[in-house]
């Protein structure tokens, strides 16, 4: 489904989409809460030129919607109904969006599988037995199944770009500060980004324009002017230098993914791009994941201390304040989330702060400085988005991978450490499942990121939806 096709439809088609999304639930389990579509259509009125006129949109369930339950897929927020809208909800609505559903995610964004929502696993529309990836798995699945042209996600480590790869859709994480995060239930504030899923690059450009801009409610949002990304798209590769991240490519063990990537690189060269090989310091790359875990868990621990059954969240009984909090948090969070809070608290413990938390922050700085050096050699970096097709649940934890091989699965963290824009573009099919490549550009250079993505899209010409679930 494409945005412009929706623009040209009669608004009544939204009802058909609503029915299809309800029907998909048995197969995909991608929805936590259905939005009240009738209510939104009652007084629906937007200008003909509104960019999202008649467009059904999916929101990840960590995006606050006034009057509509927002759980972040956590049991503790099962009954949470926000009293205000996130800024992006207002922006989307003003542009004509009709909200269809709050999509399932890994609990509070903590996970890369979408096996960790209190409403259960989300199934990949290409093969229901496989995972979607996470944490924005519900959003990715619904776009991949052709049930909406646009879904909003969030990305703290790769949570838009990895599920996009596994589900065969576009996944864009723009520059830190480009899109307001006001009204989004956080995970780790220095790494959290709003991102989006579409079926094609042009739609990603349109959606980015709608979502971007300074917001006085979010002091991390940038006041750089928003560009007309769609008009500026230019898939001409002449004069562009693309750097291939060798550390990622040499860590990939799947022959089909490697040869498809190499074939794509050849075509990029034929189309005029200058391709250079970029080698990162391997030791530094091996620290990506541990550094991420220290920083993200510490920030998550601080961010979620208000989910205690007193200020927010479901309340379990107890004899005193402390036991109410302990009981509420024990019952309200899954073991994965509790584990991360333990790790986070440990590194924030005063005796450990310097040698764990501050050290991780210094390593993050080193990684970003190293990345900046690499980006001096090229306009954009390119690598396979993931080292495999979407795995089955039992194969999805990567615990058999060595540190070097883990780099293939976690290189997208570079985009969160630096805040630089990054996009996943479907590139091919392997074993009837989509595979993808990922681009990482310079700060606020969304135009180059989207333009090179468009060139790749033209070369690869992937089918943009998974037909079966959509029928
Ligand atoms: N929200 C994210 O980006 C999650 C990233 C990573 N998979 C994690 O488990 O935390």
């Amino acid at each position: 489904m494409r945005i412009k096709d929706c623009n040209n439809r009669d608004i009544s088609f939204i009802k058909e989409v609503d029915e299809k999304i309800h029907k998909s639930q048995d197969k995909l389990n991608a929805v936590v809460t259905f939005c009240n579509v009738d209510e939104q259509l009652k007084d629906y009125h937007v200008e003909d030129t509104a960019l999202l006129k008649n467009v059904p949109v999916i929101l990840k369930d960590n995006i606050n919607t006034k009057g509509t339950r927002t759980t972040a897929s956590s049991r503790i927020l099962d009954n949470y109904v926000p009293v205000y809208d996130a800024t992006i909800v207002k922006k989307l609505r003003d542009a004509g969006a009709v909200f269809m559903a709050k999509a399932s995610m890994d609990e509070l964004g903590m996970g890369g599988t979408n096996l960790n929502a209190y409403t259960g696993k989300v199934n990949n529309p290409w093969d229901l037995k496989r995972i979607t990836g996470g944490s924005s798995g519900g959003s990715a699945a619904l776009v991949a199944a052709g049930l909406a042209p646009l879904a909003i996600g969030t990305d703290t480590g790769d949570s838009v770009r990895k599920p996009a790869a596994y589900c065969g859709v576009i996944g864009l994480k723009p520059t830190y500060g480009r899109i307001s995060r006001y009204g989004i239930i956080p995970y780790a504030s220095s790494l959290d980004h709003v991102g989006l899923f579409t079926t094609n690059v042009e739609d990603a450009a349109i959606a980015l324009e709608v979502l971007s801009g300074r917001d006085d409610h979010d002091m991390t949002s940038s006041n750089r002017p928003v560009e007309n990304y769609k008009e500026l798209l230019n898939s001409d590769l002449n004069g562009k230098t693309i750097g291939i991240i060798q550390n990622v490519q040499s860590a990939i063990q799947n022959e089909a993914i490697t040869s498809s990537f190499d074939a794509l690189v050849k075509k990029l060269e034929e189309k005029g791009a200058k391709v250079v090989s970029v080698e990162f310091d391997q030791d530094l790359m091996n620290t990506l994941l541990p550094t991420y875990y220290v920083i993200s868990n510490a920030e998550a621990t601080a961010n979620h201390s208000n989910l205690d059954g007193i200020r927010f969240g479901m309340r379990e009984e107890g004899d005193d304040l402390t036991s109410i909090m302990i009981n509420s948090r024990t019952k309200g969070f899954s073991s994965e989330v509790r584990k991360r809070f333990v790790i986070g608290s440990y590194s924030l413990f005063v005796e450990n702060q310097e040698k764990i938390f501050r050290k991780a922050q210094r390593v993050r700085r080193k990684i970003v400085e190293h990345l900046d050096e690499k980006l001096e050699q090229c306009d954009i970096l390119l690598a396979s988005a993931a080292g495999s097709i979407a795995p089955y649940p039992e194969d999805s934890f990567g615990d058999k991978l060595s540190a070097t091989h883990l780099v293939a699965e976690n290189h997208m963290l570079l985009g969160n450490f630096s805040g630089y824009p990054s996009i996943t573009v479907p590139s091919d099919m392997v074993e009837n499942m989509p595979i993808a490549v990922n681009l990482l550009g310079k700060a606020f250079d969304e135009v180059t990121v989207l333009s090179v993505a468009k060139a790749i899209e033209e070369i690869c010409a992937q089918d943009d939806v998974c037909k079966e679930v959509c029928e």
Side-chain angles (χ1 to χ4, degrees):
M1 204 187 284
R2 297 179 78 100
I3 287 177
K4 76 167 175 277
D5 298 335
C6 301
N7 292 152
N8 298 329
R9 299 282 295 263
D10 183 273
I11 189 74
S12 62
F13 109 99
I14 297 269
K15 289 293 292 172
E16 292 161 31
V17 174
D18 189 32
E19 254 170 56
K20 282 188 183 168
I21 297 177
H22 274 83
K23 264 178 75 191
S24 77
Q25 188 68 348
D26 279 350
K27 288 182 175 170
L28 300 178
N29 193 35
V31 177
V32 182
T33 304
F34 291 95
C35 299
N36 189 335
V37 170
D38 289 332
E39 186 74 27
Q40 294 175 76
L41 294 186
K42 235 193 296 165
D43 304 310
Y44 187 80
H45 178 75
V46 284
E47 300 287 314
D48 275 350
T49 51
L51 290 175
L52 300 181
K53 179 175 174 245
N54 300 349
V55 175
V57 173
I58 306 294
L59 297 171
K60 186 174 179 178
D61 203 29
N62 57 354
I63 301 169
N64 278 334
T65 40
K66 184 176 174 181
T68 300
R69 198 167 74 111
T70 301
T71 71
S73 286
S74 181
R75 189 177 302 285
I76 205 161
L77 289 173
D78 182 48
N79 290 321
Y80 175 58
V81 179
V83 293
Y84 71 107
D85 280 324
T87 297
I88 57 165
V89 169
K90 287 201 192 114
K91 280 178 176 271
L92 289 162
R93 190 185 292 120
D94 289 349
V98 180
F99 302 118
M100 310 305 291
K102 305 297 292 292
S104 177
M105 53 188 279
D106 281 305
E107 183 178 2
L108 298 169
M110 298 183 191
T113 57
N114 233 124
L115 296 169
N116 193 25
Y118 82 116
T119 48
K121 169 182 183 270
V122 177
N123 303 319
N124 191 311
W126 294 92
D127 174 351
L128 299 176
K129 292 205 175 68
R130 293 182 185 272
I131 66 165
T132 53
S135 63
S136 314
S139 298
L142 290 165
V143 171
L147 296 168
L150 172 63
I152 311 302
T154 55
D155 188 314
T156 306
D158 60 11
S159 272
V160 163
R161 294 160 293 155
K162 186 63 95 59
Y166 285 167
C167 294
V169 292
I170 300 289
L172 171 67
K173 177 205 82 66
T175 310
Y176 191 82
R178 186 64 303 183
I179 301 179
S180 163
R181 302 176 300 171
Y182 178 69
I184 305 223
I185 299 172
Y187 167 8
S189 308
S190 78
L191 300 162
D192 288 345
H193 297 66
V194 173
L196 56 98
F197 298 92
T198 58
T199 60
N200 61 91
V201 175
E202 191 177 288
D203 283 357
I206 295 170
L208 180 63
E209 188 175 330
V210 171
L211 292 163
S212 295
R214 166 76 193 167
D215 175 13
D216 287 340
H217 292 304
D218 176 359
M219 64 185 181
T220 64
S221 69
S222 166
N223 51 15
R224 274 185 180 242
V226 176
E227 291 167 280
N228 187 336
Y229 300 104
K230 185 185 152 197
E231 292 307 311
L232 292 168
L233 274 181
N234 169 13
S235 58
D236 183 3
L237 292 172
N238 285 293
K240 295 210 171 89
T241 305
I242 300 175
I244 310 296
I245 309 181
Q246 284 311 328
N247 312 61
V248 173
Q249 295 320 119
S250 56
I252 291 177
Q253 294 164 312
N254 181 314
E255 179 57 38
I257 291 181
T258 308
S259 56
S260 168
F261 183 87
D262 294 344
L264 171 63
V265 170
K266 248 204 197 108
K267 289 198 193 122
L268 290 168
E269 273 179 316
E270 280 162 24
K271 294 230 171 227
K274 182 174 171 209
V275 174
V276 296
S277 166
V278 172
E279 192 83 49
F280 281 71
D281 180 283
Q282 188 63 43
D283 288 340
L284 213 45
M285 288 296 260
N286 291 350
T287 65
L288 275 174
L289 195 56
T291 305
Y292 167 73
Y293 269 114
V294 172
I295 294 174
S296 63
N297 290 333
E299 292 185 11
T301 303
N303 278 333
H304 294 127
S305 59
N306 62 0
L307 300 179
D308 56 9
I310 306 286
R311 285 166 290 184
F312 284 96
M314 57 159 233
R315 182 175 304 176
E316 282 292 300
E317 289 315 317
D319 294 337
D320 51 23
L321 204 58
T322 310
S323 50
I324 291 175
M325 288 183 185
I326 291 175
N327 294 344
S328 302
R329 286 173 73 89
T330 306
K331 186 101 183 267
F333 296 125
S334 70
S335 59
E336 173 65 26
V337 169
R338 293 200 305 269
K339 180 186 82 185
R340 293 192 189 209
F341 288 158
V342 171
I343 299 171
S345 306
Y346 183 79
S347 65
L348 290 176
F349 193 52
V350 75
E351 282 82 354
N352 298 336
Q353 247 181 50
E354 190 56 39
K355 65 173 191 288
I356 303 179
F357 183 60
R358 298 243 180 271
K359 186 169 173 189
Q361 286 180 315
R362 284 197 296 275
V363 176
R364 175 181 180 176
R365 167 59 40 208
K366 273 205 165 312
I367 291 170
V368 175
E369 282 168 4
H370 191 57
L371 170 64
D372 285 340
E373 278 168 28
K374 301 299 164 190
L375 278 169
E376 276 171 21
Q377 301 165 28
C378 55
D379 299 303
I380 199 151
L381 289 161
L382 172 69
S384 294
S388 73
I389 58 172
Y392 295 113
E394 58 275 21
D395 301 327
S396 63
F397 294 101
D399 32 7
K400 291 178 207 86
L401 296 178
S402 69
T404 314
H405 289 120
L406 273 173
V407 170
E409 296 303 333
N410 296 295
H411 63 95
M412 290 192 263
L413 288 170
L414 289 168
N416 302 78
F417 285 0
S418 62
Y420 300 165
S422 176
I423 193 168
T424 290
V425 190
S427 59
D428 205 349
M429 297 293 289
V430 167
E431 296 172 46
N432 295 322
M433 291 298 292
I435 61 164
V437 294
N438 181 260
L439 294 164
L440 176 65
K442 298 179 187 180
F444 294 101
D445 193 7
E446 273 75 13
V447 171
T448 301
V449 170
L450 287 161
S451 294
V452 176
K454 178 109 181 77
I456 293 174
E457 178 181 64
E458 284 167 11
I459 291 170
C460 300
Q462 285 301 300
D463 247 3
D464 62 9
V465 287
C466 171
K467 305 265 175 342
E468 246 173 72
V469 179
C470 160
E471 298 308 317

